[in-house]
DNA sequence: TCTGGGGTCCTAGGACCC
DNA sequence: TCTGGGGTCCTAGGACCC
């Protein structure tokens, strides 16, 4: 019996954040639209029209304001609540098309379609597209290949080349046809080849995907690393990166934000650090972990080269690993007080929870008070439950402050259309 | 005036040990 | 004047991804 080659699909939403905004505002279709990062800092999502204008990913917003005005580009602050909810809906639908799904990021997932070859996989991909379009209203493209790296590349072609009509399956191509296609794509499009690596590859006369595919994995491993060796093998159809259906718990949790306006006082920094630590602690409990270390950091604005700069951070070990917000906040504030220096214009602060482990497997500390432990656990559970039902921040620690001078800017945010009853869109029938 | 946030993996090199 | 070598563990930093 012939061994069936693996068929891995990558389903990826087109211009995801922009498309989410368009679902609730169809007038934006065919118009240039972009979405800004947190604090309305830089561009993180662009419609095709914006890409065509030459606006690059990640450019600071203030640098393109004339262009924006001139071309009537519609600009939004990011609305993560909306995008996360839309993402859940999309992933839920896609899960019906294969029992094996890996949610890779907010807007893309891998599917194992090995063994589905009796179906026409291009038709299967088209059904995925049509279903998502019908039920959620978002456009997606599907790339299929013998490995994840191939699927990524196929998806790139499905998006770029109209001839594929949104679905590209490398496994249906003859080897010569595939090589010809690979010879037309820049090596920088390959998953895992960033700008630095692209430069170094160019020095080795590796410019196209085909060049890389034909390279010796062993030689490249010596020059780069084991990651590059895997990439070459994957391009050749050897699947080296397995599907991860269950997301492993995070090894580190970060919560940090730039401030909407410069911050000088310890009071404001304290509020921000309490807010971020509270958020990180929620995520920590969600994945049922405990942390052993809290890292807190503060930064001035590194772009203002003429202003005095001060960046510092401190790792604070906890007496016992834990996930009680009060414990984590206490550690973070101890650190903050140690690193804070007056007289600087701070732009950003953040905390990191490190050395995470499973809460259930936690070693009982020698002097731990079982009663206190139980009390902490039920208090945190109660807070998480209330915030889960009533909305995040319903119950919070007073130290967070009510008037947050430091809060990030989000001046162009659309409503939480799908998650808040009072912000749900209303449709009127014109009779 | 205005420049995001959150994560992983890998390697090199130092510290330390025998 | 001579000045080991090998192994492990940890951390910082680079590179990448979305």
């Amino acid at each position: 019996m012939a061994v069936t080659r693996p068929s891995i699909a990558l389903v990826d939403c087109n211009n995801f954040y922009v498309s989410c905004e368009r679902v609730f505002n169809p007038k934006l279709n065919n118009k240039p639209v972009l979405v800004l990062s947190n604090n309305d800092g830089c561009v993180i999502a662009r419609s095709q029209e914006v890409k065509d204008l030459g606006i690059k990913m990640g450019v600071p917003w203030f640098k393109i304001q004339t262009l924006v005005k001139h071309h009537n580009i519609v600009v939004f602050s990011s609305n993560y609540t909306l995008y996360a909810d839309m993402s859940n809906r999309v992933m839920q639908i896609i899960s019906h098309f294969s029992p094996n799904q890996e949610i890779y990021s907010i807007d893309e997932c891998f599917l194992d379609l090995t063994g589905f070859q009796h179906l026409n996989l291009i038709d299967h991909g088209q059904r995925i597209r049509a279903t998502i379009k019908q039920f959620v209203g978002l456009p997606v493209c599907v790339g299929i290949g013998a490995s994840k790296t191939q699927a990524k590349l196929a998806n790139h072609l499905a998006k770029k080349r109209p001839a594929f009509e949104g679905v590209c399956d490398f496994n249906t191509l003859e080897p010569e046809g595939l090589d010809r296609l690979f010879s037309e794509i820049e090596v920088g499009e390959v998953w895992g080849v960033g700008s630095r690596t692209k430069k170094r590859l160019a020095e080795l006369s590796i410019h196209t995907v085909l060049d890389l595919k034909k390279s010796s994995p062993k030689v490249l491993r010596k020059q780069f690393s084991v990651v590059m060796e895997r990439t070459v093998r994957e391009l050749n159809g050897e699947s080296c990166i397995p599907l991860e259906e269950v997301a492993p718990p995070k090894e580190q949790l970060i919560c940090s934000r730039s401030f909407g306006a410069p911050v000088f006082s310890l009071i404001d920094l304290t509020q921000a650090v309490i807010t971020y630590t509270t958020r990180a602690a929620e995520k920590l409990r969600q994945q049922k972990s405990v942390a052993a270390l809290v890292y807190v950091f503060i930064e001035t604005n590194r772009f203002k080269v003429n202003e005095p700069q001060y960046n510092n951070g401190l790792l604070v070990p906890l007496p016992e690993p834990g996930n009680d917000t009060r414990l984590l906040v206490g550690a973070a504030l101890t650190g903050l007080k140690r690193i804070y220096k007056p007289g600087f214009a701070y732009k950003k602060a953040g905390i990191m929870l490190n050395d995470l482990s499973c809460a259930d497997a936690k070693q009982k500390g020698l002097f731990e008070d079982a009663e206190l432990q139980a009390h902490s656990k039920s208090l945190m559970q109660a807070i998480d439950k209330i915030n889960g039902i009533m909305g995040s921040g319903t119950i919070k620690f007073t130290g967070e402050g009510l008037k947050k001078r430091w809060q990030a800017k989000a001046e162009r945010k659309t409503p939480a259309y799908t998650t808040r009853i009072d912000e749900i869109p209303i449709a009127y029938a014109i009779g």
Side-chain angles (χ1 to χ4, degrees):
Chain A
M1 203 178 84
V3 183
T4 26
R5 65 188 302 158
S7 271
I8 311 293
L10 179 73
V11 187
D12 191 323
C13 301
N14 305 355
N15 318 324
F16 180 58
Y17 296 170
V18 165
S19 299
C20 287
E21 299 292 347
R22 279 176 168 168
V23 167
F24 297 94
N25 194 346
K27 281 184 196 157
L28 300 174
N29 290 333
N30 306 312
K31 293 208 177 112
V33 179
L34 60 78
V35 177
L36 299 173
S37 65
N38 233 315
N39 209 24
D40 294 345
C42 45
V43 175
I44 53 165
R46 305 158 296 157
S47 72
Q48 190 57 48
E49 297 77 12
V50 171
K51 291 177 189 169
D52 293 343
L53 287 170
I55 294 178
K56 300 262 183 271
M57 187 75 170
V59 292
W61 151 234
F62 73 91
K63 283 191 180 171
I64 54 166
Q65 300 216 346
T66 29
L67 210 56
V68 164
K69 258 182 211 144
H70 189 250
H71 294 281
N72 289 318
I73 301 175
V74 182
V75 178
F76 292 110
S77 305
S78 31
N79 184 345
Y80 289 109
T81 313
L82 174 67
Y83 310 150
D85 183 65
M86 296 293 273
S87 172
N88 288 338
R89 290 164 196 248
V90 169
M91 296 305 168
Q92 168 70 27
I93 290 172
I94 297 173
S95 72
H96 293 298
F97 287 84
S98 162
N100 311 105
Q101 177 188 33
E102 173 188 337
I103 297 173
Y104 178 67
S105 75
I106 192 162
D107 72 329
E108 60 190 294
C109 70
F110 290 103
L111 286 183
D112 190 355
L113 299 180
T114 311
F116 281 56
Q117 278 91 342
H118 60 285
L119 304 173
N120 179 325
L121 289 187
I122 294 187
D123 290 348
H124 199 61
Q126 289 296 358
R127 276 193 292 276
I128 294 176
R129 298 184 73 217
T131 312
I132 294 171
K133 186 80 195 160
Q134 184 187 349
F135 289 100
V136 191
L138 289 171
V140 306
C141 284
V142 183
I144 302 168
S147 63
K148 283 181 163 181
T149 306
Q150 279 200 1
K152 276 277 204 181
L153 203 57
N155 192 283
H156 168 75
L157 289 180
K159 283 199 175 121
K160 294 282 166 194
R161 301 204 184 187
F164 286 114
E165 297 177 335
V167 182
C168 171
D169 182 359
F170 285 164
N171 288 340
T172 63
L173 299 173
E174 296 300 319
E176 306 78 49
L178 193 60
D179 280 359
R180 196 167 51 246
L181 219 46
F182 280 9
S183 73
E184 296 166 2
I185 314 170
E186 272 190 31
V187 72
E189 299 295 344
V190 174
W191 191 36
V193 177
S195 63
R196 295 295 177 95
T197 310
K198 186 182 161 186
K199 254 187 211 153
R200 287 180 58 201
L201 286 171
E203 288 163 14
L204 303 172
S205 298
I206 298 170
H207 303 285
T208 69
V209 178
L210 183 62
D211 293 338
L212 185 59
K213 181 188 167 213
K214 299 255 183 217
S215 300
S216 151
K218 288 265 177 286
V219 172
L220 285 196
R221 179 183 183 140
K222 285 212 180 76
Q223 300 254 347
F224 295 86
S225 77
V226 60
V227 179
M228 182 61 76
E229 177 186 8
R230 264 198 299 260
T231 300
V232 177
R233 292 187 187 282
E234 287 241 321
L235 281 177
N236 281 281
E238 185 185 333
S239 176
C240 310
I241 310 170
L243 214 66
E244 274 187 13
E245 292 172 55
V246 186
K250 305 255 187 278
E251 294 172 8
Q252 153 184 87
L253 287 170
I254 302 174
C255 187
S256 73
R257 293 278 183 284
S258 295
F259 303 132
V263 159
F264 295 86
S265 74
L266 183 59
I267 296 173
D268 283 341
L269 285 175
T270 299
Q271 285 186 4
V273 166
I274 292 175
T275 306
Y276 306 156
T277 310
T278 302
R279 180 73 198 105
E282 280 168 12
K283 290 196 257 179
L284 185 66
R285 292 192 294 269
Q286 229 166 48
Q287 68 163 27
K288 299 194 177 4
S289 298
V290 288
L293 297 167
V294 180
Y295 180 80
V296 56
F297 64 92
I298 49 179
E299 293 173 1
T300 50
N301 190 340
R302 67 198 152 99
F303 294 103
K304 297 196 169 174
V305 285
N306 297 323
E307 288 187 8
Q309 297 288 316
Y310 175 66
N311 302 321
N312 204 357
L314 193 68
L315 202 53
V316 184
L318 296 171
E320 302 278 348
N323 62 19
D324 186 309
T325 301
R326 297 165 298 174
L327 175 79
L328 299 167
V329 164
L333 293 185
T334 304
L336 176 64
K337 271 181 218 139
R338 297 258 304 270
I339 57 175
Y340 172 74
K341 275 195 200 168
F344 290 97
Y346 293 99
K347 177 64 183 169
K348 184 176 180 176
I351 71 112
M352 241 183 247
L353 304 181
N354 284 308
D355 215 339
L356 307 190
S357 55
C358 178
D360 297 333
K362 189 187 154 193
Q363 294 241 328
K364 279 270 174 282
L366 205 51
F367 305 106
E368 257 173 47
D369 183 325
E371 203 175 312
L372 261 173
Q373 282 284 315
H375 175 255
S376 155
K377 194 172 171 183
S378 52
L379 177 63
M380 291 303 130
Q381 276 174 352
I383 292 177
D384 289 341
K385 195 169 176 185
I386 292 169
N387 284 339
I389 296 169
M390 310 286 287
S392 132
T394 303
I395 292 194
K396 58 184 168 194
F397 292 83
T398 47
E400 277 191 40
L402 295 172
K403 211 172 91 198
K404 299 179 176 181
R405 285 178 290 267
W406 42 272
Q407 201 148 50
K409 275 185 283 191
E411 288 165 354
R412 301 152 177 273
K413 195 154 112 188
T414 47
Y417 297 114
T418 59
T419 50
R420 289 191 71 100
I421 192 73
D422 48 336
E423 298 186 10
I424 207 162
I426 299 167
Y428 297 96
I430 299 168

